[in-house]
């Protein structure tokens, strides 16, 4: 199989043997271990939990450890590059700082009302707010949605789907104490109103999360506030 990998200013071509159940991460690992040890890429868990292995595969952002070559190869060819919308450190490695800085800007840290001396707060799994929060809570911070979002490309200050999804899970959490502050943080031209509902984030999120739905929820919550 022919594999084109983005290096500094160009694509470098490699020939990689096909294997059964081969993932795109297996392909990149083969290249780094067998063909060119200078290739830089990032991964940790290999089982879809850490969110660190995302890359662009044939122009589409994907988690590479759970993406099978059979599903994405076009004419026995793969083109692999770093995620869009993020600065490149080297080869396939992006600098994730601005992505996570935006989680902080969207007040993505939980701040509950109770102290460690209080009893646990009981939240029914069947309640509407709990189900809303649960729908977005499994985010692994892979930035696939962020790379898929044209609004981030057009306006690099836009908070983006992952940070806004995180804000929505907290706005939906009945134990949260700082939602007035959080809603203010996600308003304005770089916040949820900048989303044009293109839905690319939702189509590509490997965890089946819909940041688009969360962003719509934030818009409704802001309207009510
Ligand atoms: S729905 Fe909104 S956040 Fe998601 S990709 Fe489109 S513009 Fe970006
Ligand atoms: S919302 Fe989905 S695509 Fe976006 S960072 Fe979280 S897991 Fe990845
Ligand atoms: S290596 Fe952890 S999600 Fe792919």
């Amino acid at each position: 199989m022919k594999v084109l990998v983005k290096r500094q200013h160009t694509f470098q071509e490699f020939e990689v043997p096909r294997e059964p159940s081969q993932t795109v991460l297996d392909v990149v690992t083969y290249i780094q271990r067998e063909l060119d040890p200078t290739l830089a890429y990032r991964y940790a868990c290999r089982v879809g939990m850490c969110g660190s292995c995302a890359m662009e595969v044939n122009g589409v952002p994907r988690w590479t450890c759970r993406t099978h070559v059979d599903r994405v190869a076009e004419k026995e060819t793969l083109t692999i590059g770093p995620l869009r919308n993020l600065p490149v450190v080297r080869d396939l490695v992006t600098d994730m700082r601005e992505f996570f800085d935006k989680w902080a800007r969207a007040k993505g840290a939980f701040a509950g009302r109770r102290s460690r001396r209080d009893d646990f707060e009981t939240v029914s799994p069947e309640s509407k707010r709990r189900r809303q929060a649960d729908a977005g809570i499994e985010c692994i911070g892979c930035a696939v949605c962020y790379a898929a979002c044209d609004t981030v490309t057009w306006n690099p200050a836009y908070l983006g789907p992952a940070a806004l999804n995180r804000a929505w899970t907290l706005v939906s959490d009945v134990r949260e104490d700082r939602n007035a502050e959080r809603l203010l943080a996600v308003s304005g031209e770089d916040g949820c109103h900048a989303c044009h509902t293109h839905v690319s984030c939702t189509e590509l999120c490997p965890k089946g999360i819909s940041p688009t739905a969360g962003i719509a929820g934030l818009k409704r919550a802001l309207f009510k506030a």
Side-chain angles (χ1 to χ4, degrees):
M1 174 179 46
K2 185 164 86 174
V3 184
L4 299 164
V5 180
K6 185 85 169 45
R7 305 304 294 267
Q8 202 71 355
H9 299 296
T10 181
F11 281 92
Q12 190 176 351
E13 188 175 326
F14 298 95
E15 197 56 39
V16 177
R18 290 295 308 268
E19 304 285 348
S21 305
Q22 190 177 27
T23 65
V24 175
L25 185 61
D26 292 336
V27 168
V28 176
T29 302
Y30 178 89
I31 293 171
Q32 200 264 351
R33 292 193 183 160
E34 306 293 333
L35 305 177
D36 186 346
T38 67
L39 177 66
Y41 70 115
R42 191 190 278 131
Y43 77 95
C45 72
R46 303 191 76 153
V47 288
M49 289 177 71
C50 71
S52 66
C53 68
M55 301 168 203
E56 302 251 345
V57 184
N58 288 348
V60 178
R62 298 189 182 280
W63 56 354
T64 56
C65 71
R66 301 290 297 271
T67 300
H68 283 91
V69 173
D70 286 342
R71 201 159 61 85
V72 289
E74 290 166 10
K75 296 184 184 149
E76 281 304 288
T77 304
L78 279 182
T79 305
I80 304 172
L83 286 182
R84 212 161 58 109
N85 292 340
L86 288 161
V88 176
V89 178
R90 210 181 98 199
D91 299 335
L92 304 173
V93 178
T94 49
D95 183 342
M96 301 291 283
R97 271 178 295 190
E98 66 187 48
F99 175 75
F100 287 113
D101 283 351
K102 287 178 178 179
W103 286 47
R105 269 174 52 204
K107 308 278 177 215
F110 176 75
R113 272 182 300 276
R114 298 194 176 195
S115 78
R116 68 183 66 181
R117 285 174 293 280
D118 297 322
D119 199 0
F120 292 112
E121 190 159 348
T122 310
V123 184
S124 164
E126 305 309 322
S127 65
K128 185 173 173 236
R129 298 268 302 267
R130 169 73 181 270
R131 280 190 280 118
Q132 264 174 209
D134 282 355
I137 206 72
E138 296 292 337
C139 171
I140 55 173
C142 64
V144 162
C145 56
Y146 191 83
C149 178
D150 285 337
T151 305
V152 176
T153 313
W154 299 328
N155 172 14
Y158 173 46
L159 290 170
L164 292 170
N165 172 70
R166 174 64 185 161
W168 174 241
T169 63
L170 293 170
V171 166
S172 303
D173 192 329
V174 291
R175 303 164 306 161
E176 246 300 327
D177 200 28
R178 286 171 51 192
N179 275 332
E181 206 183 314
R182 183 167 294 112
L183 284 176
L184 202 58
V186 301
S187 64
E189 60 188 29
D190 301 332
C192 59
H193 292 292
C195 169
H196 294 302
T197 327
H198 293 146
V199 200
S200 332
C201 55
T202 299
E203 281 170 359
L204 289 170
C205 172
K207 297 294 288 181
I209 294 169
S210 173
T212 320
I215 292 167
L218 286 175
K219 287 177 182 171
R220 283 195 305 275
L222 269 162
F223 180 73
K224 282 186 203 156

